[in-house]
Amino acid sequence: MNYNGGKWLLRRLCTEAKKLNLYQKLSKLEMTGGTVTHTLNQYVMQGKAIRKEELERCVKQLRKYRKFQHALEIMEWMEMRKVNFASDNHAVHLDLVSKTKGLVAAENYFNDLPPQSKNKYTYGALLNCYCKELMTDKALAHFEKMDELGYVTNLAFNNLMSLYMRLGQPEKVPPLVQDLKQRKIPMAAFTYHVWMNSYASLNDLDGVVRVYEEMKREDGNEINWQTYSNLAAIHVKAKDFEKADSMLKMVEKEVKPQQREAYHFLLSQYAGTSNSGEVYRVWNTLKTVSPVTNLSYLTMLQSLRRLNDMEGIINCFKEWESNCNNHDIRLVTIAIGAYLSQNLYDEAESVLKDAMRRRNKGPFFKIHEMFMMFCLEKSQLDGAVSHLEAALSEVKNDEWRPSSEVVSAFLKYYEEKTDVDGVEELSRILKTHNFDDSWLKSSAEINQIPVEIAK
């Protein structure tokens, strides 16, 4: 045995274990409580060095799983510790500020940056914020400024294309592609994908084919499983399941075992073609080649829901529940919806009680609304009111109010039962929990239910 090689391997394994340990601590803060600052400070106090690369990896993973607040707190801790930021670190920080504190805070962060940090990365990050918020005028003005500074890249064009797609203006994408080509900016796979989708949105499937053929001819090396998945999704939406199936088979040829995202896509799209056999085949394959995560189970449950396979949903949920380490309310929501759709109220309530026991805290607003809708449809007013009060008791900082669907369901119930006093009772419940009930009176008037709400 090579002794030096053995020592190197031991050091490597210890380093990897340390990294995993720190990320695990940070990723579980939502469940365990505590703060990022305290966790990192405690880690350092224990004599464990934290390298900048390790913190960046944690930020990347937390962003991937949409834990933006904790990712931002890591960046803030790095700044407090005077860790030198690279050219793209400020861009990541700006993006996280936008996601957690809003666009104005992101603009202020950008404006306060020193001149040397206002580079193509931070300019690009702010453009992305404008596009995500559908602020067309600001996005275009910012793009022009980037153009003046020589900061326009393929990514900047991609952001504008995505903006127009989200605004329902796909006809504006092809001219942007032509502009990009005239500038001789290299095309990326994502650019081709958005270009294809613009033609698909215009019901021009011949246009989609032309883009795909150009991609094969001009940038064949850019074609990957995501290209085939994009084409498959277009064909699924067009109800051309034969072409969709051929594209899905191409995805399977390209996918590598560690690419869980590709398997998740296959599950969703095979469900879209109503092919339950392929859904279960891909699911079983995924479980043999890659560790399944909460997101894997969520995708499978959503696929089974799309297939209306209630037995499959219940079996899959029970399998997840028996193996999960990190409880995920999204899976609970799907399971409860499946039970309620089969009029299995007691089973649904049992799942909710178990979720509340495991998590020890909410909120469970969406689930309570599902129960309210179910109870009102079954003329079980007491149950609906009970879940309304439970949801109201969880509200903090005006983070939730009954949806228009729930309010309409209550008002419809009162109307059908000719229970005018019921609206006043609903108003009383809202006021008990310090809710403004003025919108309730408006809803009652819209539904033509005469009511006098006590002031």
Side-chain angles (χ1 to χ4, degrees), residues 125-145:
L126 186 56
L127 175 64
N128 181 59
C129 293
Y130 288 140
C131 291
K132 288 280 180 67
E133 295 296 325
L134 305 182
M135 302 186 72
T136 307
D137 291 342
K138 282 196 171 186
L140 293 176
H142 192 72
F143 182 88
E144 288 183 10
K145 181 65 175 178

Side-chain angles (χ1 to χ4, degrees), residues 214-245:
E214 179 178 325
M215 186 178 185
K216 286 197 297 183
R217 185 176 63 254
E218 303 292 337
D219 293 282
N221 61 316
E222 290 286 344
I223 294 177
N224 52 32
W225 73 263
Q226 291 164 320
T227 304
Y228 296 121
S229 69
N230 192 59
L231 286 164
I234 289 171
H235 291 308
V236 168
K237 189 173 181 179
K239 305 294 184 184
D240 189 342
F241 295 155
E242 183 177 347
K243 287 184 179 178
D245 189 70

